[in-house]
Amino acid sequence: MEGERADEIAVNRELWALVNERYTGPAAEALWSRPEMVWGLYDVPERQLGVLGDVDGLDVLELACGTAYCSAWLTRSGARVVAADLSAEQLRTARDLQRRTGPAFPLVQADAEHVPLASGSFDLVVSEHGAAAWCDPERWLAEAARVLRPGGRLVFLTNSLLSALCVPDDEGVATNSLQRGQRAAYHVRWPGGGAEFHPSHGDWIRLLRRFGFSVEALHELYAPPDAPDHPFYEIVTTAWASQWPAEELWVAWRTTAAVTRNG
Ligand SMILES: C[S@@+](CC[C@H](N)C(=O)[O-])C[C@H]1O[C@@H](n2cnc3c(N)ncnc32)[C@H](O)[C@@H]1O
């Protein structure tokens, strides 16, 4: 498994070197300069959900930060942020945006399954369409628990389980019928390349509890019926996402001592 997983991570790294193209230019700059934090494909305002709350003065780690626009907002809101990602290309875009629009914060190239940062050094770990889909939950949750201080919070956004069940193998748009079994969605290797994880809700709760978290909330994000389709994320149409949740936003607290991955 170790070797197989290393191969998958290498494939994902190559994929993100290519996909990074989409994240550069004026669209990326607009995301970086957004005055308020919003969640998901349909921009649900943080002030409506309140999952981050007041981050002023908190030590925050963003895992699989991509171009790090969440970290930019968190930094502007007074947090001390470190942003980590596997992809040198995505981090280069983030560094460019730091220079062009600011603010600056540390960027670390790292695998979220092996985070090269000290234990107990963060109050909040955030991942927005990052570690939850791209990393083995047994590994990245162990790392999130390790780097969080007791009482720290974990907030992550990922594609909904239902969307992962309804997307066909060619990775087109979610259909109105189930395309794979729920067990098969836990670890999907798409024929076009990348490998993703879409645990069931029961799996998430079991794993979060195992790593010392207590679950505060699972927000299911729908599209407003009159919203346009997203300009480049093709995983769902608005028609689909106004009937079923396209994304899931989990909030958990690190309440007890974290166990190790094999513990
Ligand atoms: C959808 S993007 C990140 C979202 C980010 N909020 C953004 O839009 O810029 C997913 C990110 O996960 C990163 N990633 C994939 N596998 C990873 C891993 N094992 N460790 C850390 N980052 C990883 C990719 O490099 C990519 O930047």
Side-chain angles (χ1 to χ4, degrees):
M1 179 62 191
E2 288 297 325
E4 252 178 63
R5 183 67 192 134
D7 291 347
E8 282 183 358
I9 288 175
V11 169
N12 285 348
R13 189 189 287 116
E14 278 170 33
L15 183 78
W16 279 98
L18 295 173
V19 176
N20 174 252
E21 281 290 298
R22 281 181 165 194
Y23 287 76
T24 54
E29 209 160 307
L31 288 174
W32 259 65
S33 336
R34 264 197 307 216
E36 71 171 337
M37 175 74 192
V38 293
W39 290 104
L41 298 176
Y42 295 96
D43 292 350
V44 182
E46 161 61 19
R47 76 185 127 72
Q48 192 178 310
L49 296 174
V51 297
L52 297 174
D54 183 3
V55 295
D56 191 13
L58 296 188
D59 291 307
V60 181
L61 172 63
E62 184 180 5
L63 281 178
C65 64
T67 57
Y69 56 78
C70 285
S71 289
W73 181 86
L74 287 158
T75 304
R76 283 199 303 271
S77 302
R80 286 181 296 273
V81 181
V82 177
D85 197 277
L86 186 65
S87 159
E89 289 75 8
Q90 291 273 86
L91 292 174
R92 195 170 54 231
T93 301
R95 208 164 290 118
D96 256 20
L97 287 156
Q98 290 193 338
R99 268 194 297 270
R100 291 213 303 269
T101 69
F105 44 84
L107 295 167
V108 177
Q109 186 175 7
D111 176 3
E113 297 180 10
H114 304 277
V115 179
L117 297 168
S119 302
S121 46
F122 294 94
D123 305 300
L124 173 63
V125 170
V126 179
S127 196
E128 193 242 17
H129 282 302
W134 296 96
C135 298
D136 181 341
E138 302 224 5
R139 296 171 190 231
W140 82 267
L141 287 178
E143 285 296 77
R146 181 183 65 75
V147 300
L148 275 171
R149 300 183 175 120
R153 201 171 3 140
L154 171 65
V155 175
F156 61 93
L157 180 75
T158 189
N159 293 329
S160 68
L161 174 63
L162 197 53
S163 69
L165 295 176
C166 292
V167 168
D169 271 347
D170 65 7
E171 295 182 67
V173 180
T175 63
N176 289 7
S177 62
L178 300 173
Q179 303 290 313
R180 63 189 49 76
Q182 183 162 297
R183 289 194 176 104
Y186 186 97
H187 190 179
V188 187
R189 295 171 184 89
W190 299 106
E196 290 180 22
F197 292 86
H198 297 288
S200 68
H201 296 165
D203 284 331
W204 276 126
I205 291 167
R206 177 178 54 77
L207 288 162
L208 284 162
R209 287 176 62 85
R210 174 167 156 210
F211 292 112
F213 290 100
S214 90
V215 175
E216 177 184 297
L218 163 57
H219 298 278
E220 298 176 305
L221 306 189
Y222 289 81
D226 51 354
D229 285 336
H230 194 276
F232 66 79
Y233 283 117
E234 292 126 3
I235 181 168
V236 291
T237 59
T238 295
W240 193 97
S242 56
Q243 293 184 80
W244 299 288
E247 293 156 295
E248 298 173 357
L249 180 59
W250 288 82
V251 185
W253 294 85
R254 161 107 143 67
T255 45
T256 57
V259 296
T260 57
R261 184 159 68 85
N262 300 314

